[in-house]
Amino acid sequence: MSIEALKSSFMDLTDDAIAVGLIASGAPAPRLIYANSAFSELSGHAQEDLLNMPMDELLGDCPQTSIQNSAARALEKGHQKFLLKAKLLRSDNTSTWVSISFFLKEVAGTGAWHVCATFRPLAEERSAAVLADQIQMERDRAIKEQQRLVSALNAYPDPIVIYDADLSLVYWNDGYAASITDDPNELVAGTHLRDVLRLAIKYGRYPEAVGQEDEWVNRILSSETLDKEFEDVELKGDVHHRLLRSRSSNGDYVIIRLNSTELVRQKRTAEAAQERLLAALNAYPSPFVIYDSNDCLVVCNDAYRASMSNNPDELKFGMHRTTVARIAIRAGKIADAIGREEEWMSDAHQQTDVDKPVQDLVLPDDVHHRLLRSRAENGDLVILRLDTTELVRQRRALEDTQDRLISAIKAYPDPFAIYDADLNLVIWNPAYARSMTKSPESLASGTNLKVLLRNAAMEGFIPAAVGREEEWVEDYYSPDLLAPGIEDFEFADDQHHRMVRSRTEKGEYVVLRLNITEVVRQRRALEQYSKRLEKANQEITYKALHDDLTGLGNRRYLSFKFDELVSLRSKKGGEIAALHIDLDRFKHINDTMGHAAGDQVLLDISERIRRNVGSTDVVARIGGDEFVVLIYVPKNNDRPETLAKILLQELSRPTLFEGKECRFGASIGLARTPLAHVDQLLTNSDVALYKAKRRGRGQLGIFDKSDLEEVRRTKEVADDVLRAIEQLEFEPFYQPQVDAKSGQTVGIEVLARWRHPEKGILAPGAFLSIATDLNVAGDIDRLIYEQAIGECQQAFGRMSNPPSLSFNVSENRVNHNEIDAIRQHVQTYSGQISFELLETIFLEEQQDDFLCRLDQLRDLGIAIEVDDFGSGRASVVALQRINPDRVKIDRRLTALAAGGSGGLRLLRSIIEIGHSLEMGVTAEGIETGEQAEILAKLGCDRLQGYHFARPMPYPDLLKFFNLKSGVLCGG
């Protein structure tokens, strides 16, 4: 509510004496701005004389009744009303006691206050006692207020102290006492500041004063120090205080000591961060600068100084941006400004530049910079100058590369074209134009693909469209014709092209036409050659799976068929029986009547067996006079026993040869599941055959539980093999290999032998199958491999051309876990090392990881050889996959060398396959000079067999060789 409203609605209508004063901001006392007629009558002053009169003058000079002080105390307590009793001075210098009710009203937005007072006279006979009581109450209230103030000051944590004009101690709080002494009782009112300072030095409060106490105290007491409004001091323990000094109107010194430790530490941290920032900016290789909102230099790094002046110190903080620019122009730092210095230094040009957020500059020596400008919220201009020299040069190089690419496309011999998203021609090379039209120069950009195809068809460029051009175009063309993909075309004269189509990110189609005529012809020739190889492989495979004499299956064939029957049994049930047949007196026939008679007997026996077995039964010749028949029958079927008895009778009849009877018989061992475990069926049939032979000739032996003892003995052998591995009883034997042309010993095959403590030297036939079953064949390989490497390095390591070493390895040996061990030893031998793959691992079904392991062996320098090639599983397909360095012809095929033209043709085919695949060919099992001569002429480059040397231990190998002058000569 305004003063005018109060006047009209209340002040002018009441009978009470009312006056309104104004406490202006900074004014010493309120001045009257209004008084009603009742107040004029009470005070004896005219209303107009009262205006602007200090209100305190109406109450005399008693400080207890100061309206200004009373109002201040009321506001500090949060009150806007208060009451005073005082004498009112009248205009005639008389006085009267009055009770004054005040209320305060803030003047909005000015910091001033209205003081509204209602004056009511008190009775004149107010007694002195009453007045004394009132004075005592006022004194008690003042003392209470003072105590409250002292408590508040003592609760304030920072030191506060008051010294009088003579620097004597008047008042201090607990914080000040603690900052001076360890014993607050030592501070006494009236103590001079000099003594207080010495007390503080005594208690170690000012370490910097120690040793110079008088000088330090005098400096503190000097007017220069005492007149400072504030001073920062550092105390013990990195503690910092700020002293705030002021002087009251009565001359007292008021000192407040604020703990500024945290602020000082924060400032120190901020300054350190600023120093690190400046250091980082100076370490930044590109120029960086900040100008304030008035475009005056604030911050810059060393790189900016160097980029703007030849004298970095020439740039000063506070320098205007245009001044800095002119320094750079005069120093020749801006290449574009050379010769145009006045224009560039003009204010208009500088203002134009500063408005650009991005600007590229060309500096001397082909140096390029990019300026990035931005304005901060406070108006600062931040400029970062990046060195774009390398980017500009790369872009320039890219443009040159693009030009060269276009030139290369035009020079590319095969057709090349690019169509836009609407299938309109955009770019093409001369070869493409010549392939699509007889008038290449008429080809125009924007020609649609369909129009181009129709023209090419009409001009005879597309043989498939001749005579049906429009129909062909409609059939062939589609909006998706250029979708990414590959398409092969065959043209006239046996010409072939491959269309490779792709699409760019912009939606354009790229067409590249490759001439693949030669590739197609080579592929066709390779397919024909592969068919011939496959046919030869089939013939070889058949021969490898069948006996050459009888046409029956051999061991490999038996193994395949046995696996098929095992699979059939697992799916449909039933049982498998094995009949192991061994001819009696067959050796006698060979010895007395010759091998021709023996062959005739074998042919006759084979035919008799065929006549008596079923169509699904399996018959195989597994040795010179041994046969096996596998039969799949339902459970509890006695057909195997019946067939065995029939065969005993059939095979007991003699055979006529050249008019003479060849008399013989047969023994048969029978084993069948489930009594014989399927994995041991063939082994158990052999046990049954052994049992039959022990009974005499022409007997049938059937495997039963009593034969399990034989299995027990097999386990004993297995245990003996494991023991022999631990005792290192397996050792390498060596069989030399000779060069077919020179006769020189060029290699050695390393073979495993068991030096049994009781049985002597045992060949692999005595332990290999059991070792394989035990999965320790790889361990034996490792023992032989490591010992042979060590012995041969010792014997041949110093020769200029040491003999190569060939090792038979099992599949377990060629695995990832063995590669590291192989690597450690292969590097210790100076000559070539080869691994011969046994037939047990040389399968066409081998996975890619096996081939990967072979590649790892090759990376170690190990050559790969294939053993028993031509015996069955070593097919041409497998050879192509494994790609060995050498093949070894099976010893049974080697025996065919002197056996007539049929055998020679077979051997010649095998050797030609090896040569066609660029492999070396070794013939093993050579027992005669005739065989050696024939196989050398057929193309074998290495020969091995008893004709040259038998396998021998290391001492005998040393005797076999003559080591002279570092040259290896074979015995």
Side-chain angles (χ1 to χ4, degrees):
M1 182 178 291
S2 66
I3 294 298
E4 295 301 318
L6 285 171
K7 288 167 56 179
S8 61
S9 63
F10 171 69
M11 297 178 184
D12 289 339
L13 302 178
T14 182
D15 293 331
D16 290 331
I18 294 175
V20 179
L22 176 67
I23 304 177
S25 177
R31 292 183 176 274
L32 285 170
I33 61 172
Y34 170 78
N36 66 358
S37 57
F39 181 82
S40 176
E41 181 179 351
L42 178 63
S43 64
H45 294 278
Q47 282 182 289
E48 57 270 24
D49 295 334
L50 290 170
L51 295 181
N52 207 31
M53 178 183 293
M55 293 183 73
D56 285 344
E57 288 184 9
L58 297 172
L59 304 181
D61 56 356
C62 181
Q64 289 85 353
T65 57
S66 169
I67 297 174
Q68 176 86 342
N69 294 338
S70 299
R73 285 196 295 270
L75 289 175
E76 285 178 357
K77 297 176 181 180
H79 301 154
Q80 290 183 276
K81 297 180 180 180
F82 61 94
L83 180 68
L84 286 180
K85 293 182 176 61
K87 290 182 178 180
L88 176 65
L89 296 180
R90 298 170 56 84
S91 59
D92 58 359
N93 292 324
T94 63
S95 63
T96 182
W97 283 95
V98 292
S99 172
I100 312 171
S101 298
F102 292 88
F103 75 90
L104 305 173
K105 179 69 175 178
E106 185 177 11
V107 181
T110 65
W113 291 82
H114 283 136
V115 182
C116 301
T118 302
F119 293 75
R120 295 184 178 87
L122 292 175
E124 287 293 339
E125 60 272 12
R126 177 182 178 102
S127 67
V130 173
L131 182 59
D133 290 342
Q134 181 182 355
I135 293 173
Q136 183 61 41
M137 288 176 61
E138 291 291 339
R139 182 182 297 110
D140 292 343
R141 184 166 58 251
I143 292 172
K144 188 175 181 180
E145 290 292 335
Q146 183 180 7
Q147 289 176 343
R148 183 180 293 114
L149 175 61
V150 170
S151 296
L153 291 176
N154 281 326
Y156 187 67
D158 291 329
I160 299 176
V161 66
I162 299 175
Y163 287 91
D164 62 17
D166 298 324
L167 299 181
S168 296
L169 186 61
V170 176
Y171 169 79
W172 63 97
N173 68 351
D174 294 343
Y176 183 78
S179 71
I180 295 298
T181 175
D182 293 342
D183 183 6
N185 295 324
E186 290 190 73
L187 284 181
V188 179
T191 304
H192 194 273
L193 175 58
R194 179 185 303 276
D195 297 325
V196 173
L197 292 175
R198 291 188 178 279
L199 186 64
I201 294 172
K202 170 186 173 183
Y203 284 100
R205 296 302 193 261
Y206 294 100
E208 72 274 15
V210 176
Q212 50 172 351
E213 290 82 355
D214 292 339
E215 180 182 352
W216 184 83
V217 169
N218 291 333
R219 181 177 63 81
I220 298 298
L221 295 177
S222 67
S223 59
E224 179 181 358
T225 301
L226 294 177
D227 290 342
K228 288 182 180 178
E229 293 184 359
F230 68 89
E231 181 180 3
D232 292 323
V233 296
E234 181 176 357
L235 306 181
K236 184 178 179 180
D238 192 29
V239 175
H240 300 265
H241 281 188
R242 169 162 284 191
L243 274 63
L244 303 179
R245 301 186 184 93
S246 60
R247 204 159 186 179
S248 64
S249 58
N250 64 355
D252 287 351
Y253 285 97
V254 179
I255 303 173
I256 300 176
R257 208 159 83 185
L258 302 177
N259 190 333
S260 60
T261 301
E262 189 61 30
L263 293 175
V264 169
R265 293 174 181 174
Q266 290 176 357
K267 176 183 177 184
R268 188 189 303 155
T269 302
E271 289 172 347
Q274 183 178 11
E275 289 178 1
R276 285 196 296 271
L277 178 60
L278 292 176
L281 289 176
N282 284 326
Y284 187 63
S286 298
F288 178 88
V289 66
I290 298 177
Y291 291 93
D292 63 16
S293 57
N294 295 320
D295 279 356
C296 293
L297 183 61
V298 178
V299 175
C300 68
N301 63 358
D302 293 343
Y304 184 78
R305 291 179 179 273
S307 71
M308 300 302 285
S309 174
N310 295 323
N311 178 15
D313 295 334
E314 190 175 3
L315 269 62
K316 306 294 183 181
F317 291 117
M319 186 175 287
H320 197 271
R321 176 183 54 78
T322 56
T323 303
V324 175
R326 291 185 178 97
I327 291 174
I329 294 170
R330 284 195 297 270
K333 295 292 185 177
I334 304 176
D336 288 347
I338 297 175
R340 304 164 54 202
E341 288 81 358
E342 294 301 324
E343 175 188 350
W344 271 68
M345 287 192 293
S346 66
D347 291 340
H349 187 88
Q350 291 298 314
Q351 186 58 42
T352 301
D353 281 351
V354 80
D355 292 337
K356 297 176 181 177
V358 179
Q359 182 180 4
D360 290 324
L361 297 179
V362 180
L363 307 182
D365 301 324
D366 193 28
V367 175
H368 300 264
H369 280 191
R370 168 162 287 187
L371 270 65
L372 303 179
R373 300 185 181 93
S374 59
R375 286 279 184 187
E377 292 182 358
N378 64 353
D380 284 356
L381 175 64
V382 182
I383 303 176
L384 177 63
R385 208 158 93 182
L386 303 177
D387 189 335
T388 59
T389 303
E390 189 61 30
L391 292 176
V392 170
R393 293 175 182 174
Q394 288 177 358
R395 182 182 63 193
R396 192 187 301 155
L398 182 62
E399 292 170 352
D400 293 341
T401 301
Q402 184 176 2
D403 293 339
R404 287 195 295 271
L405 179 61
I406 293 174
S407 299
I409 290 173
K410 292 181 178 179
Y412 187 66
D414 289 333
F416 177 89
I418 298 178
Y419 288 84
D420 64 18
D422 298 323
L423 304 186
N424 296 319
L425 187 62
V426 178
I427 296 174
W428 66 96
N429 66 350
Y432 188 80
R434 291 192 300 270
S435 71
M436 299 299 287
T437 176
K438 293 179 180 179
S439 303
E441 67 281 355
S442 64
L443 198 58
S445 178
T447 304
N448 188 265
L449 175 61
K450 189 171 185 179
V451 175
L452 198 57
L453 288 174
R454 180 179 289 107
N455 180 76
M458 292 297 183
E459 294 186 1
F461 283 91
I462 304 175
V466 174
R468 50 186 293 271
E469 289 79 3
E470 288 294 339
E471 180 184 356
W472 179 87
V473 170
E474 294 300 324
D475 290 343
Y476 183 71
Y477 177 81
S478 74
D480 298 326
L481 180 59
L482 295 186
I486 297 175
E487 183 180 2
D488 291 338
F489 280 86
E490 180 177 358
F491 295 101
D493 301 325
D494 195 27
Q495 295 293 310
H496 300 264
H497 281 195
R498 170 164 288 180
M499 304 284 288
V500 181
R501 306 185 184 97
S502 59
R503 192 171 188 179
T504 68
E505 295 180 354
K506 296 181 178 180
E508 295 179 334
Y509 296 94
V510 179
V511 181
L512 177 63
R513 208 163 84 187
L514 304 175
N515 190 329
I516 59 171
T517 301
E518 189 60 30
V519 174
V520 171
R521 292 175 182 174
Q522 289 178 358
R523 181 179 62 194
R524 187 187 304 150
L526 182 60
E527 289 172 352
Q528 293 172 354
Y529 182 67
S530 296
K531 289 179 181 178
R532 291 197 300 271
L533 286 178
E534 187 59 31
K535 183 177 180 181
N537 177 57
Q538 291 174 358
E539 294 176 356
I540 293 172
T541 301
Y542 181 83
K543 289 182 177 295
L545 293 176
H546 292 79
D547 178 48
D548 291 338
L549 177 63
T550 64
L552 296 176
N554 58 16
R555 282 187 180 273
R556 286 185 174 81
Y557 176 80
L558 179 68
S559 177
F560 285 146
K561 291 299 182 180
F562 180 75
D563 291 342
E564 291 178 1
L565 292 179
V566 170
S567 177
L568 180 62
R569 176 175 179 262
S570 65
K571 294 177 181 177
K572 297 185 177 181
E575 302 299 343
I576 305 173
L579 279 65
H580 196 148
I581 304 169
D582 184 72
L583 298 183
D584 300 327
R585 297 186 299 275
F586 179 74
K587 184 176 183 301
H588 178 73
I589 294 174
N590 270 337
D591 293 342
T592 59
M593 302 181 67
H595 289 289
D599 290 347
Q600 183 60 45
V601 169
L602 292 174
L603 289 170
D604 193 14
I605 291 297
S606 300
E607 184 59 31
R608 294 181 194 181
I609 295 175
R610 283 195 186 99
R611 286 198 304 264
N612 287 280
V613 300
S615 59
T616 60
D617 296 340
V618 178
V619 183
R621 179 189 175 199
I622 63 171
D625 58 352
E626 290 186 66
F627 301 84
V628 171
V629 178
L630 295 178
I631 307 173
Y632 173 75
V633 294
K635 291 184 178 180
N636 302 320
N637 187 292
D638 61 355
R639 180 169 170 263
E641 290 81 0
T642 301
L643 177 60
K645 295 175 182 178
I646 293 173
L647 290 177
L648 284 177
Q649 293 178 355
E650 284 289 319
L651 301 181
S652 64
R653 291 186 290 105
T655 292
L656 288 176
F657 176 72
E658 296 181 352
K660 297 179 181 180
E661 285 188 348
C662 299
R663 294 189 175 276
F664 52 86
S667 298
I668 300 178
L670 171 62
R672 59 185 296 171
T673 59
L675 180 60
H677 192 275
V678 67
D679 293 339
Q680 299 295 321
L681 181 62
L682 295 176
T683 301
N684 291 340
S685 70
D686 192 40
V687 173
L689 175 62
Y690 179 71
K691 182 167 69 173
K693 282 184 172 292
R694 282 186 297 176
R695 294 176 182 172
R697 296 173 179 171
Q699 298 296 316
L700 171 63
I702 301 178
F703 181 82
D704 56 28
K705 293 184 179 180
S706 64
D707 298 320
L708 293 175
E709 177 63 23
E710 185 68 24
V711 176
R712 184 190 65 77
R713 288 194 294 271
T714 300
K715 183 179 183 305
E716 290 180 354
V717 176
D719 294 340
D720 206 14
V721 168
L722 295 175
R723 179 199 59 76
I725 293 175
E726 294 179 357
Q727 299 298 321
L728 304 179
E729 293 175 1
F730 293 97
E731 65 180 67
F733 268 49
Y734 303 92
Q735 186 173 24
Q737 298 172 339
V738 302
D739 183 89
K741 294 182 179 179
S742 67
Q744 294 283 332
T745 301
V746 293
I748 301 172
E749 181 176 7
V750 182
L751 305 167
R753 293 293 186 268
W754 182 4
R755 191 175 292 276
H756 197 282
E758 299 174 358
K759 301 176 183 179
I761 300 299
L762 301 179
F767 60 82
L768 184 57
S769 60
I770 294 178
T772 301
D773 293 340
L774 293 173
N775 199 29
V776 295
D779 296 332
I780 296 174
D781 287 348
R782 189 183 307 107
L783 292 174
I784 300 302
Y785 172 75
E786 294 176 0
Q787 186 175 344
I789 290 288
E791 291 178 346
C792 291
Q793 177 62 20
Q794 181 179 0
F796 313 118
R798 297 183 180 180
M799 296 182 176
S800 59
N801 189 21
S804 64
L805 300 181
S806 300
F807 295 87
N808 290 295
V809 294
S810 61
E811 182 175 8
N812 287 341
R813 185 66 171 148
V814 187
N815 61 44
H816 289 300
N817 296 332
E818 292 289 334
I819 296 298
D820 289 339
I822 292 172
R823 179 187 292 108
Q824 293 176 2
H825 289 86
V826 73
Q827 297 173 350
T828 63
Y829 184 62
S830 305
Q832 176 66 53
I833 293 179
S834 303
F835 278 5
E836 294 184 9
L837 303 180
L838 301 178
E839 68 171 6
T840 54
I841 64 173
F842 193 69
L843 303 176
E844 295 180 13
E845 291 82 6
Q846 286 289 358
Q847 300 298 317
D848 290 341
D849 65 331
F850 176 75
L851 302 180
C852 178
R853 296 199 296 271
L854 292 185
D855 289 338
Q856 288 180 296
L857 293 176
R858 290 190 179 96
D859 292 340
L860 297 178
I862 296 175
I864 304 300
E865 299 183 6
V866 174
D867 198 8
D868 296 339
F869 182 63
S871 61
R873 296 193 182 184
S875 68
V876 174
V877 173
L879 284 179
Q880 289 176 322
R881 294 187 69 212
I882 294 182
N883 190 26
D885 301 280
R886 176 173 294 277
V887 294
K888 294 183 70 175
I889 299 175
D890 186 81
R891 63 181 66 251
R892 287 168 292 179
L893 296 178
T894 300
L896 301 176
S901 59
L904 290 177
R905 285 196 299 273
L906 177 58
L907 286 169
R908 184 178 291 108
S909 298
I910 293 173
I911 294 170
E912 287 178 353
I913 289 173
H915 288 169
S916 67
L917 297 177
E918 298 181 353
M919 302 173 188
V921 180
T922 300
E924 63 177 346
I926 296 177
E927 298 184 1
T928 66
E930 181 185 6
Q931 291 176 340
E933 182 179 355
I934 292 173
L935 288 166
K937 290 180 179 180
L938 290 176
C940 292
D941 59 313
R942 285 194 185 186
L943 306 174
Q944 176 183 346
Y946 286 2
H947 174 65
F948 301 101
R950 291 176 177 272
M952 61 191 76
Y954 179 64
D956 294 344
L957 179 68
L958 296 180
K959 297 176 183 178
F960 179 82
F961 283 98
N962 285 325
L963 303 177
K964 296 179 180 180
S965 303
V967 179
L968 179 63
C969 301

